[in-house]
Amino acid sequence: MTQSHKSDVKRFRANLRDELDGAALYDELAAAEQNEARGDVFRQLAQAEREHAELWRSKLQARGIHASTAKPSFKTKTLRMLIRRFGPRFVLPALAAAEFADRNKYANQPDSEGLSADEHSHAAVVAAAAQGGHPGGVTGAEIARAESWHRGASGNDLRAAVLGANDGLVSNFCLIMGVAGAGSSNKVILLTSVAGLIAGACSMALGEWLSVTNARELAQTQIAREAEELEHTPEAEQRELALIYQAKGLDKDEAHRVAEQLMRNHDKALDTLTREELGIDPDELGGNPWSAAGTSFGLFALGAIFPAMPFFWSHGLVAIATSIGLSGLGLAIIGVVTSLFNGRTPLFSATRQVVIGCVAAAFTYGVGALLGVSMS
């Protein structure tokens, strides 16, 4: 048996096991689901997973390998137990995240015979089921969850801004203390601090620009692929839409009617599939990379200027002491702001931020002092 043959057999076995685990989970969800429309969605997903499993079983048999029915994995057994104990909604968010993470697992397997598109569809359907409401409308609990999600999104933006400024402050504070510890002149410290500010801010801006640009390009590629699928396999895309709307709470006939109506308009169908299946807002596409880069540059520079300022107007120990004081003030402000989303008191957050920042700066000062002595 060649190495390539062994590798294929191992991969086929793993794929078969994954598909059988998926079928077992969806069967359990269907049995536990009280809403008939959603239960039907889970049954269809279970059947699709069994069909996928048969594909891998046939490939193993073609290589002379008998694949017996595998027992569910420990993870699958645990999830099934949780479904029986707490109901489908308890595990759907975790299952949706797992499906989303695995949606590209067949993308680089040339013998998967189109299963990659199915996995994308399954991920979208499960995500819709995890987020979907009840046929009678949205419940108060779901409104509360939605409000919490919006607050979380704002918190993430605030957190990103605070951490950007914190990166600039701490990195430049430590850099300045390290150079000061080595006994460098005021001019060298000032030059180092400005260079650290510019280099760090440029690095942050470039990283943010690349991140947003790559996200935008990935989204555009996925939309183009979805448009191609819509062009060549409209029936399959219509079935995907129907499944998504079933997962959101519509009954089967209504879901198929809505999907059929949407498919009459190519642009509207593509827009809906992009939003519902891919989870991409075509109007956003990851945001503006230049705006993100500029924001990152500014936030990093804002934090980095605190420890550098005293060296513009003073020298020696006075400048170092003032730099420590301003850096401590900046760290305290950042700590107070972080208390808005970390659940801690402002005093605790500020104290923790100052202590950690000063410990890091003291360490680099010590390293600088040791290197300064050894190199003198």
Side-chain angles (χ1 to χ4, degrees):
M1 184 181 294
T2 65
Q3 188 63 36
S4 175
H5 183 83
K6 289 181 179 178
S7 177
D8 284 344
V9 169
K10 182 179 180 180
R11 179 165 55 85
F12 294 162
R13 286 186 185 276
N15 290 341
L16 174 61
R17 184 168 56 252
D18 287 346
E19 298 295 351
L20 290 174
D21 278 347
L25 271 179
Y26 289 129
D27 280 333
E28 196 69 49
L29 286 168
E33 179 58 59
Q34 296 181 354
N35 181 274
E36 183 58 33
R38 289 160 65 92
D40 185 55
V41 170
F42 294 137
R43 281 188 286 273
Q44 292 182 59
L45 289 174
Q47 180 58 33
E49 298 286 4
R50 279 190 285 271
E51 291 174 1
H52 293 177
E54 286 306 311
L55 170 67
W56 300 116
R57 194 190 304 277
S58 66
K59 290 184 179 297
L60 285 169
Q61 290 173 347
R63 285 162 173 75
I65 306 295
H66 175 68
S68 58
T69 302
K71 294 182 179 180
S73 65
F74 174 78
K75 177 183 176 181
T76 301
K77 289 179 180 178
T78 302
L79 287 173
R80 291 172 70 183
M81 179 189 70
L82 292 173
I83 292 169
R84 288 192 290 267
R85 178 67 179 83
F86 300 106
R89 286 183 176 273
F90 185 80
V91 302
L92 272 174
L95 186 57
E99 286 283 5
F100 184 81
D102 289 343
R103 70 195 187 284
N104 290 319
K105 67 180 179 180
Y106 292 135
N108 296 319
Q109 297 189 36
D111 44 17
S112 63
E113 300 177 10
L115 296 190
S116 183
D118 285 352
E119 292 300 324
H120 273 267
S121 174
H122 291 182
V125 170
V126 177
Q131 299 169 2
H134 301 283
V138 181
T139 67
E142 287 167 338
I143 293 174
R145 280 198 297 273
E147 291 297 327
S148 299
W149 182 86
H150 284 297
R151 284 196 296 272
S154 300
N156 285 336
D157 292 340
L158 177 61
R159 186 181 298 112
V162 170
L163 292 181
N166 183 71
D167 284 347
L169 197 160
V170 174
S171 62
N172 219 27
F173 183 29
C174 291
L175 178 63
I176 289 170
M177 289 300 107
V179 176
S184 301
S185 66
N186 187 81
K187 183 180 291 187
V188 171
I189 296 174
L190 179 59
L191 178 62
T192 301
S193 65
V194 173
L197 185 155
I198 295 173
C202 288
S203 175
M204 289 286 289
L206 176 60
E208 192 68 20
W209 186 89
L210 287 173
S211 175
V212 175
T213 299
N214 287 335
R216 175 185 287 269
E217 290 172 348
L218 174 61
Q220 290 171 337
T221 300
Q222 289 179 310
I223 292 173
R225 188 179 296 126
E226 191 66 37
E228 185 177 350
E229 291 177 0
L230 184 61
E231 184 71 28
H232 293 98
T233 57
E235 298 84 2
E237 296 302 309
Q238 183 172 326
R239 286 196 298 271
E240 289 177 11
L241 270 177
L243 277 175
I244 288 171
Y245 284 119
Q246 275 186 261
K248 286 180 176 291
L250 294 181
D251 62 53
K252 187 174 183 178
D253 292 338
E254 181 68 11
H256 280 279
R257 187 190 67 77
V258 172
E260 183 180 359
Q261 185 174 356
L262 281 171
M263 292 296 291
R264 292 173 185 167
N265 185 310
H266 180 277
D267 292 338
K268 185 177 290 187
L270 179 59
D271 183 82
T272 303
L273 283 165
T274 299
R275 295 175 188 274
E276 300 288 358
E277 183 178 342
L278 301 179
I280 296 172
D281 184 350
D283 299 327
E284 294 293 334
L285 292 183
N288 187 320
W290 294 106
S291 173
T295 301
S296 292
F297 185 98
L299 288 170
F300 187 96
L302 176 65
I305 198 65
F306 272 76
M309 283 192 295
F311 295 94
F312 283 96
W313 63 73
S314 57
H315 302 78
L317 291 177
V318 174
I320 294 174
T322 307
S323 176
I324 294 172
L326 283 177
S327 298
L329 175 63
L331 288 167
I333 293 172
I334 290 173
V336 170
V337 176
T338 59
S339 70
L340 298 175
F341 52 78
N342 67 8
R344 297 286 192 171
T345 65
L347 178 61
F348 176 88
S349 295
T351 303
R352 179 174 62 181
Q353 199 79 14
V354 171
V355 169
I356 293 175
C358 288
V359 168
F363 177 76
T364 56
Y365 184 92
V367 172
L370 288 174
L371 290 175
V373 170
S374 65
M375 295 175 65
S376 60

